[in-house]
Amino acid sequence: MRFTIEEVTIPERGDSELFSAVQEVANVLEAEVWRNDDFALTPAMVLPDYLDQRFQRRVLLAARIGDRVVGRGWLGYGAEADATTASVNAGVLPDARRHGIGTALLEELERRAAAAGRHTVTTFTQHALADIPQDEPLLGASVGERVIPAGAESTRFVRARGYSLGQVERTNRCVLDEIRAELPNIVAATAERSGDEYDVVHWVDRTPDQLLPSLAVAREHMATDIPAADLEVDAEVWTPERIRSRERQLADAGDRALVVAAVHRSSGAVAGYSELVLTAGKQHAEQWDTLVLSAHRGHALGLWMKAANLLALAEHAPGRQRVYTWNADENAHMLRINDRLRFRIIGYSGEWQRTIPRRA
Ligand SMILES: CC(C)(COP(=O)(O)OP(=O)(O)OC[C@H]1O[C@@H](n2cnc3c(N)ncnc32)[C@H](O)[C@@H]1OP(=O)(O)O)[C@@H](O)C(=O)NCCC(=O)NCCS
């Protein structure tokens, strides 16, 4: 079967047919895994991430058979000069699979990653709980459970391309109403446990100016302090300017961010933060980063912040009943917090890594 691979030109304003068609493929692939459209995005929602590439570089590829877009690939990597890793992902519509299109996309992404000096590439496969057979071989990383189905086509594909499983991540979901009534008690109890050293500060979208420098430090720790199992990860450089750029990207996409931070009273610095992102037009919220800096761990700040933010969600957007979160399978502390907040596993993802050989 004849197909072509091309880079998608990012439409500076509005939309382009190709950019939209590629996003449509991405939406079909998400719905194939989760059997709902919670993760379907419009082109306008993804465009801001491609327009401002000062801190995070992105490349988008399209695979076509004739005029029809049947696959898409993306590459993303930090702009930090010393970074060595990149994220890639390839996807092909079900009726166009097993013709080498996925391989061609992945090879082109890897070629571009290596050309940018990123020789360690990471990709992921997603598996809804219902699609994980109990009677077939399951794979795991060196820590965490063995839950990634060896027989899944995505697993076979990445292994055939030389990737090895570096980490297992859980996809969790809770229903806000199931935990809503308990939240005030959890907030009160955790506030008491953390003594009188911290204040919990809430904001929507825009970080208060005085917290920008210490939030930037916390965000840098988010890149390297969370469990990474067998994955190689890069340090990230965060500045107040980068935080503002990210806030603008979210706002331009139509998303809202509910953020809570634990602020250390004596220093006035962020000791931890947690953010819920409300994707435009959806009925759910996504729990993104949660971090407590190591010097401040053991004071129940993680549970305090998460419960306080869910309470804020119930006040701001009570219609967003489903809350998603993603956690490393070996992240015992975070998993305990999420269990307390009634998150349940709905699937797993495999995080796969490969080192691209350097040409002699
Ligand atoms: C994984 C995916 C991209 C493969 O796309 P594709 O166009 O079918 O890939 P290819 O035709 O290049 O397949 C290459 C190799 O992968 C392996 N493979 C792919 N699908 C397979 C399947 N159903 N069973 C067994 N092996 C399979 C085989 O080794 C295959 O080579 P072969 O056809 O010569 O046996 C596609 O199934 C998909 O879009 N899945 C959802 C997205 C995803 O999970 N991406 C993986 C992360 S990059």
Side-chain angles (χ1 to χ4, degrees):
M1 188 176 285
R2 284 177 61 87
F3 61 86
T4 56
I5 306 282
E6 71 199 272
E7 181 170 351
V8 179
T9 305
I10 305 306
E12 285 286 325
R13 277 165 205 279
D15 200 356
S16 79
E17 222 171 277
L18 185 56
F19 193 72
S20 296
V22 164
Q23 187 53 37
E24 189 47 43
V25 169
N27 292 344
V28 170
L29 296 171
E30 286 292 338
E32 183 188 13
V33 177
W34 301 113
R35 300 184 183 91
N36 64 38
D37 65 359
D38 279 358
F39 303 113
L41 301 174
T42 64
M45 290 158 88
V46 267
L47 191 58
D49 283 350
Y50 285 91
L51 288 181
D52 181 356
Q53 299 214 4
R54 281 175 297 161
F55 305 101
Q56 181 75 16
R57 311 267 197 254
R58 290 174 204 274
V59 176
L60 193 58
L61 302 180
R64 297 201 222 215
I65 297 175
D67 284 343
R68 181 175 175 235
V69 176
V70 295
R72 69 96 182 82
W74 57 255
L75 160 69
Y77 54 91
E80 289 85 357
D82 55 351
T84 57
T85 69
S87 301
V88 294
N89 194 266
V92 177
L93 292 178
D95 67 351
R97 288 179 188 162
R98 300 306 291 275
H99 295 294
I101 300 175
T103 300
L105 282 167
L106 200 57
E107 281 176 352
E108 181 59 17
L109 296 168
E110 291 173 349
R111 193 187 65 71
R112 288 166 182 255
R118 275 67 177 166
H119 284 83
T120 302
V121 281
T122 308
T123 190
F124 60 89
T125 58
Q126 302 188 92
H127 312 273
L129 213 49
D131 295 330
I132 301 178
Q134 293 311 306
D135 49 358
E136 287 175 26
L138 298 171
L139 306 173
S142 64
V143 288
E145 293 169 272
R146 295 177 75 83
V147 282
I148 302 299
E153 70 180 354
S154 54
T155 305
R156 297 168 84 126
F157 171 73
V158 292
R159 291 181 93 192
R161 310 259 58 80
Y163 285 75
S164 51
L165 186 55
Q167 189 173 39
V168 173
E169 198 171 69
R170 294 184 186 185
T171 303
N172 294 309
R173 192 169 63 196
C174 80
V175 176
L176 196 52
D177 272 355
E178 287 181 9
I179 186 70
R180 167 78 182 83
E182 289 180 60
L183 292 174
N185 284 340
I186 298 175
V187 170
T190 45
E192 197 175 327
R193 266 181 63 198
S194 40
D196 53 9
E197 282 183 69
Y198 302 94
D199 288 312
V200 158
V201 177
H202 289 267
W203 65 85
V204 180
D205 301 337
R206 192 176 161 84
T207 310
D209 284 337
Q210 73 276 14
L211 295 180
L212 276 175
S214 60
L215 184 67
V217 172
R219 283 200 176 277
E220 290 187 344
H221 281 278
M222 184 72 205
T224 48
D225 288 8
I226 61 171
D230 312 321
L231 295 174
E232 187 183 321
V233 291
D234 276 317
E236 293 177 6
V237 176
W238 280 84
T239 56
E241 190 193 6
R242 183 167 180 181
I243 292 176
R244 289 286 183 239
S245 148
R246 187 175 173 283
E247 289 173 350
R248 247 186 324 273
Q249 284 175 322
L250 285 178
D252 289 349
D255 299 344
R256 316 287 329 253
L258 295 185
V259 188
V260 60
V263 176
H264 189 224
R265 279 191 188 158
S266 62
S267 63
V270 167
Y273 72 101
S274 181
E275 62 180 356
L276 285 167
V277 173
L278 280 51
T279 317
K282 298 291 182 189
Q283 294 294 307
H284 72 271
E286 297 180 13
Q287 170 76 66
W288 289 8
D289 294 8
T290 296
L291 176 83
V292 176
L293 289 164
S294 55
H296 301 282
R297 293 196 181 153
H299 299 284
L301 295 181
L303 182 56
W304 186 11
M305 293 190 300
K306 278 193 139 177
N309 218 16
L310 286 177
L311 210 47
L313 175 67
E315 279 155 23
H316 266 82
R320 296 198 181 236
Q321 280 293 310
R322 295 185 298 286
V323 183
Y324 288 93
T325 186
W326 294 265
N327 304 110
D329 198 45
E330 74 276 19
N331 193 348
H333 297 297
M334 188 54 78
L335 296 178
R336 203 166 323 118
I337 291 173
N338 287 340
D339 282 349
R340 179 71 191 87
L341 295 171
R342 305 260 177 93
F343 279 91
R344 296 195 182 93
I345 302 171
I346 61 158
Y348 289 91
S349 55
E351 305 290 321
W352 303 82
Q353 206 162 60
R354 157 166 201 240
T355 303
I356 307 168
R358 284 164 202 271
R359 296 240 164 97

